[in-house]
Amino acid sequence: MNKHRAWLFVPGTNKRAMQKALTLDADVIIYDLEDAVEMGRKDVARQEVAEALQQQITSGQTRVVRINGATTPDYQQDLEAVAQAGCGGVMLPKTEDPAHIKQLDEYLNRVEKEKQLPPGHFKIVPQIETALGVHNSYDIARASKRVLHLAFGSVDYTADIQGEMTEEGWEVYYARAHLVNSSRAAGIRGPIDTVYIDIYNIEGLIRETERAKKMGFQGKLVIHPKQIGPVNAVYTPSEQEVTEARQIVEAFEQARSRGEAAIQLNGKMIDPPVVHKAMQVLKLYEQINKQT
Ligand SMILES: CC(C)(COP(=O)(O)OP(=O)(O)OC[C@H]1O[C@@H](n2cnc3c(N)ncnc32)[C@H](O)[C@@H]1OP(=O)(O)O)[C@@H](O)C(=O)NCCC(=O)NCCSC(=O)C[C@@](O)(CC(=O)O)C(=O)O
Ligand SMILES: [Mg+2]
């Protein structure tokens, strides 16, 4: 899963939207069996999602399924329905306990052997949506090699901490920073940011996405087709960023050949960490363009 900018949620009962998602620019599609599915329709959703996963796709998107939580009665049936070749990963909502990730990892190991899928085929995306989940996020990120990203859930989190949602996001600032730090300390990629529920407020969406990107997030969960383009744009390096990054790398290579490790370029100091960041920009740009 190289591209991971916009992750589109689609309710597991909405066949039309599941089909439409394959024609959209989301890098990842998340078929939801949890909160977007009414309690009495979990069986129907499982069946719809299992069928959708059997469909061969050519869009290059990764399909992930958000199953119900590890302590719910639906958990095991969800897993049995979705652990099949077309599913690239499992999102586990309200993850709080690293033991639940280990248990999921063992189950996926068995399925890969039984179905002769390559080891590590199924990724795990723990969704962190509670105070305890944030607190345990480092151990959760390290609980299995399958953990690709942590994903943040701010609506549940804000309710759990008894806060109030604000445009500035003060109530989730600590949780966001904690998830970035836990992810990087655990050696995995930066996390995927929470949904933005104000569908038609595109300016607000862009502001929030830019803020989270600057904090270290690597992509964002979205709920509506209108949100995909703006999120992809924020997470795609601009021409100007790419040009500047190339200039930094070139200038530094020349400096090194002269035996210098810190130089000035356009009035700014360039040293190894600045070059490291520039190389990250170039790598991301290459990854995105390789597949489009
Ligand atoms: C909100 C709404 C009902 C509006 O639908 P409407 O149909 O009224 O919208 P329209 O504008 O009319 O749609 C125009 C055209 O786009 C199509 N279209 C719309 N949405 C599409 C889509 N997602 N994928 C593909 N296609 C789509 C539609 O089918 C139509 O296609 P067509 O008929 O061909 O014209 C719809 O978007 C939707 O269901 N979103 C996903 C909801 C969901 O999954 N929630 C759970 C995950 S969040 C969560 O759980 C967060 C968290 O975990 C985190 C935390 O804690 O923070 C928590 O706890 O909160
Ligand atoms: Mg939630």
Side-chain angles (χ1 to χ4, degrees), residues 3 33 42 44 65 116 126 148 174 269 275 282 288:
K3 287 202 293 181
L33 294 176
K42 298 282 182 188
V44 178
V65 182
Q116 298 182 328
L148 188 65
Y174 169 78
M269 184 195 72
V275 178
L282 295 177
I288 289 167

Short mmCIF file of all heavy atoms in Angstrom, two decimals, residues 3 33 42 44 65 116 126 148 174 269 275 282 288:
data_model
loop_
_atom_site.label_atom_id
_atom_site.label_comp_id
_atom_site.label_asym_id
_atom_site.label_seq_id
_atom_site.Cartn_x
_atom_site.Cartn_y
_atom_site.Cartn_z
N LYS A 3 0.27 4.26 -1.78
CA LYS A 3 -0.45 5.52 -1.72
C LYS A 3 -1.45 5.44 -0.59
O LYS A 3 -2.21 4.47 -0.48
CB LYS A 3 -1.16 5.78 -3.05
CG LYS A 3 -0.17 6.17 -4.14
CD LYS A 3 -0.84 6.91 -5.26
CE LYS A 3 -1.79 6.05 -6.03
NZ LYS A 3 -2.42 6.78 -7.14
N LEU A 33 -18.28 -2.03 8.56
CA LEU A 33 -19.26 -2.92 9.18
C LEU A 33 -19.64 -2.41 10.57
O LEU A 33 -20.51 -2.97 11.23
CB LEU A 33 -18.67 -4.34 9.32
CG LEU A 33 -18.38 -5.08 8.02
CD1 LEU A 33 -17.71 -6.42 8.30
CD2 LEU A 33 -19.67 -5.30 7.22
N LYS A 42 -26.34 -6.05 10.46
CA LYS A 42 -24.93 -6.48 10.42
C LYS A 42 -24.75 -7.70 9.50
O LYS A 42 -23.78 -7.78 8.76
CB LYS A 42 -24.42 -6.81 11.82
CG LYS A 42 -24.43 -5.62 12.79
CD LYS A 42 -23.27 -4.67 12.55
CE LYS A 42 -23.28 -3.54 13.57
NZ LYS A 42 -22.31 -2.48 13.31
N VAL A 44 -26.54 -8.56 6.86
CA VAL A 44 -26.65 -8.12 5.46
C VAL A 44 -25.35 -7.45 5.03
O VAL A 44 -24.80 -7.73 3.95
CB VAL A 44 -27.81 -7.10 5.30
CG1 VAL A 44 -27.92 -6.59 3.88
CG2 VAL A 44 -29.13 -7.73 5.75
N VAL A 65 -11.36 -3.40 5.44
CA VAL A 65 -12.69 -3.48 6.06
C VAL A 65 -12.60 -3.08 7.52
O VAL A 65 -11.73 -3.57 8.25
CB VAL A 65 -13.28 -4.91 5.96
CG1 VAL A 65 -14.69 -4.93 6.57
CG2 VAL A 65 -13.33 -5.38 4.51
N GLN A 116 -3.37 -19.98 1.38
CA GLN A 116 -2.13 -19.86 0.60
C GLN A 116 -1.91 -18.43 0.08
O GLN A 116 -1.55 -18.22 -1.09
CB GLN A 116 -2.12 -20.87 -0.53
CG GLN A 116 -2.17 -22.28 0.02
CD GLN A 116 -2.12 -23.31 -1.06
OE1 GLN A 116 -2.62 -23.11 -2.17
NE2 GLN A 116 -1.52 -24.45 -0.76
N PRO A 126 -5.17 -0.28 13.43
CA PRO A 126 -5.92 -0.05 14.68
C PRO A 126 -6.47 1.38 14.66
O PRO A 126 -5.74 2.32 14.36
CB PRO A 126 -4.85 -0.19 15.78
CG PRO A 126 -3.66 -0.82 15.12
CD PRO A 126 -3.72 -0.41 13.68
N LEU A 148 0.13 -1.16 9.92
CA LEU A 148 0.66 -0.30 8.86
C LEU A 148 0.62 1.16 9.30
O LEU A 148 1.57 1.90 9.15
CB LEU A 148 -0.22 -0.50 7.62
CG LEU A 148 0.20 0.11 6.33
CD1 LEU A 148 1.48 -0.53 5.84
CD2 LEU A 148 -0.90 -0.09 5.29
N TYR A 174 -3.62 17.06 21.80
CA TYR A 174 -2.75 16.13 22.54
C TYR A 174 -2.81 14.74 21.91
O TYR A 174 -1.77 14.10 21.69
CB TYR A 174 -3.18 16.05 24.02
CG TYR A 174 -2.48 14.93 24.74
CD1 TYR A 174 -1.16 15.09 25.16
CD2 TYR A 174 -3.11 13.70 24.95
CE1 TYR A 174 -0.49 14.05 25.79
CE2 TYR A 174 -2.45 12.67 25.57
CZ TYR A 174 -1.14 12.84 25.99
OH TYR A 174 -0.47 11.82 26.59
N MET A 269 19.59 27.92 6.24
CA MET A 269 20.63 26.93 6.50
C MET A 269 20.18 25.55 6.01
O MET A 269 19.04 25.13 6.25
CB MET A 269 20.93 26.84 8.00
CG MET A 269 22.08 25.89 8.29
SD MET A 269 22.19 25.42 10.03
CE MET A 269 20.80 24.33 10.22
N VAL A 275 18.05 18.03 4.60
CA VAL A 275 18.18 17.21 3.39
C VAL A 275 17.31 15.95 3.53
O VAL A 275 16.63 15.52 2.59
CB VAL A 275 19.66 16.83 3.15
CG1 VAL A 275 19.80 15.94 1.93
CG2 VAL A 275 20.50 18.08 2.99
N LEU A 282 10.68 14.07 -1.99
CA LEU A 282 10.94 13.51 -3.33
C LEU A 282 10.47 12.06 -3.42
O LEU A 282 9.90 11.63 -4.42
CB LEU A 282 12.43 13.62 -3.68
CG LEU A 282 12.96 15.05 -3.81
CD1 LEU A 282 14.45 15.06 -4.09
CD2 LEU A 282 12.21 15.82 -4.91
N ILE A 288 3.75 8.59 -5.51
CA ILE A 288 2.43 8.99 -5.99
C ILE A 288 2.38 8.95 -7.52
O ILE A 288 1.42 8.47 -8.11
CB ILE A 288 2.06 10.38 -5.45
CG1 ILE A 288 1.78 10.28 -3.94
CG2 ILE A 288 0.86 10.97 -6.17
CD1 ILE A 288 1.72 11.59 -3.22
#
